[in-house]
Amino acid sequence: MNSISRRRLITGGIAATAGVAGLTAAARMARRYGLIAPDCKGVYGPGEELTYAVQRILTAGAPVRQFPRSMISKKPFANYVDPPTEAFKRLEAGGFKDWRLTIDGMVARPATLTLADVKSLGTQSEITEVACEEGWSYIAEWIGTPLVSVLREVGMLPQARYVVYSSFQRGVWDSIDMGDALDPHTLLTWGMNDGDLPVGFGGPLRIRLPRQLGYKSLKYIWHLTATDSLKNFGKGLGSAEPEFGYAWYAGI
Ligand SMILES: Nc1nc2c(c(=O)[nH]1)N[C@H]1C(S)=C(S)[C@@H](COP(=O)(O)O)O[C@H]1N2
Ligand SMILES: [Mo]
């Protein structure tokens, strides 16, 4: 089921069970707790807000679905994408020794880290599923450094409400709220199934958000920005996706 029909179902389901009065109450609660998706004024307006709020309330603290090693997909499907840019190829030829992750915005100590620096902040491995909004999925072991460890290292300020992350692929960026940014399961991955993370799967550095659809797990991450508002990023919708009808929040 694609995310749009799933969203309709969820919103419809809530509306049917809760009735209009319940819906209004839920919307009021969403606003009160700041559970308002940055793209909620888009095409899918109020539904977006409710899906995000209801999922956030229902899934707070819920376990991430992990799988046994025996279920790792033998032939995971890499949805190959750019960037085979010259700059990227040069970095790859150098074994990504010159790859840098820049962290700025609402942090006490902005930093530019090498992959070795990132790895030195901690290693975690999780066997989770990448689920594409188009219906296919695969399971892999993802090895990386918890994003929260990197945010701690640079002293993220308490006012920060979102982390914006950008791909080396031109124009590709997204953002997450603190629920996901501070979640110990959100990883900056550099390994997959016991090896280095292949370029096809987003190497040298890919963010993995096991509680959201695959399109939030961007490949080739090179820039993180902590911010209290998404207004000044792109069209202010939290990522490029809502411009094409994809939800900013893609919880699964
Ligand atoms: N930089 C970048 N990251 C991306 C994409 C992309 O086009 N560019 N596609 C996303 C989508 S839609 C999905 S479903 C997953 C697919 O992951 P895979 O290639 O490991 O199968 O990557 C996501 N990450
Ligand atoms: Mo996707």
Side-chain angles (χ1 to χ4, degrees), residues 77 79 81 132 136 138 167 169 201 206 214-215 217-219:
F77 180 76
N79 196 6
V81 290
C132 174
W136 51 268
Y138 68 89
S167 169
Q169 197 182 355
F201 288 95
R206 177 186 195 171
Y215 68 79
S217 291
L218 291 190
K219 304 172 176 190

Side-chain angles (χ1 to χ4, degrees), residues 2-50:
N2 69 38
S3 56
I4 294 166
S5 50
R6 195 174 59 92
R7 176 168 40 241
R8 290 227 177 90
L9 228 170
I10 293 170
T11 319
I14 294 162
T17 38
V20 176
L23 254 181
T24 317
R28 204 182 303 126
M29 211 161 116
R31 249 173 242 121
R32 177 158 162 211
Y33 292 102
L35 293 169
I36 299 188
D39 57 344
C40 79
K41 283 172 195 67
V43 203
Y44 303 110
E48 210 52 76
E49 180 176 334
L50 273 179

Side-chain angles (χ1 to χ4, degrees), residues 72-95:
I72 290 176
S73 306
K74 300 283 178 289
K75 284 207 178 85
F77 180 76
N79 196 6
Y80 286 95
V81 290
D82 296 342
T85 60
E86 287 309 312
F88 188 88
K89 277 192 206 146
R90 268 197 302 278
L91 289 162
E92 186 180 7

Side-chain angles (χ1 to χ4, degrees), residues 107-127:
V107 299
R109 299 173 294 279
T112 296
L113 308 178
T114 63
L115 291 171
D117 293 334
V118 173
K119 291 178 188 179
S120 76
L121 298 174
T123 297
Q124 194 164 305
S125 144
E126 310 217 332
I127 299 173

Side-chain angles (χ1 to χ4, degrees), residues 4-187:
I4 294 166
S5 50
R6 195 174 59 92
R7 176 168 40 241
R8 290 227 177 90
L9 228 170
I10 293 170
T11 319
I14 294 162
T17 38
V20 176
L23 254 181
T24 317
R28 204 182 303 126
M29 211 161 116
R31 249 173 242 121
R32 177 158 162 211
Y33 292 102
L35 293 169
I36 299 188
D39 57 344
C40 79
K41 283 172 195 67
V43 203
Y44 303 110
E48 210 52 76
E49 180 176 334
L50 273 179
T51 305
Y52 174 52
V54 167
Q55 287 214 21
R56 268 286 177 249
I57 291 162
L58 293 180
T59 60
V64 164
R65 190 151 180 231
Q66 310 250 5
F67 299 84
R69 198 158 282 278
S70 61
M71 282 184 73
I72 290 176
S73 306
K74 300 283 178 289
K75 284 207 178 85
F77 180 76
N79 196 6
Y80 286 95
V81 290
D82 296 342
T85 60
E86 287 309 312
F88 188 88
K89 277 192 206 146
R90 268 197 302 278
L91 289 162
E92 186 180 7
F96 294 117
K97 268 197 299 296
D98 293 328
W99 185 271
R100 294 292 181 273
L101 172 69
T102 296
I103 307 127
D104 55 21
M106 294 187 129
V107 299
R109 299 173 294 279
T112 296
L113 308 178
T114 63
L115 291 171
D117 293 334
V118 173
K119 291 178 188 179
S120 76
L121 298 174
T123 297
Q124 194 164 305
S125 144
E126 310 217 332
I127 299 173
T128 59
E129 183 178 45
V130 172
C132 174
E133 76 291 352
E134 287 170 5
W136 51 268
S137 69
Y138 68 89
I139 293 166
E141 178 186 22
W142 299 94
I143 306 141
T145 303
L147 174 63
V148 64
S149 306
V150 175
L151 298 175
R152 247 186 234 131
E153 174 70 13
V154 296
M156 186 167 63
L157 302 178
Q159 305 92 286
R161 292 187 57 206
Y162 305 95
V163 171
V164 175
Y165 50 98
S166 308
S167 169
F168 202 81
Q169 197 182 355
R170 191 189 273 275
V172 177
W173 65 282
D174 209 318
S175 66
I176 44 176
D177 64 9
M178 283 304 133
D180 276 319
L182 303 177
D183 187 318
H185 298 287
T186 298
L187 303 181

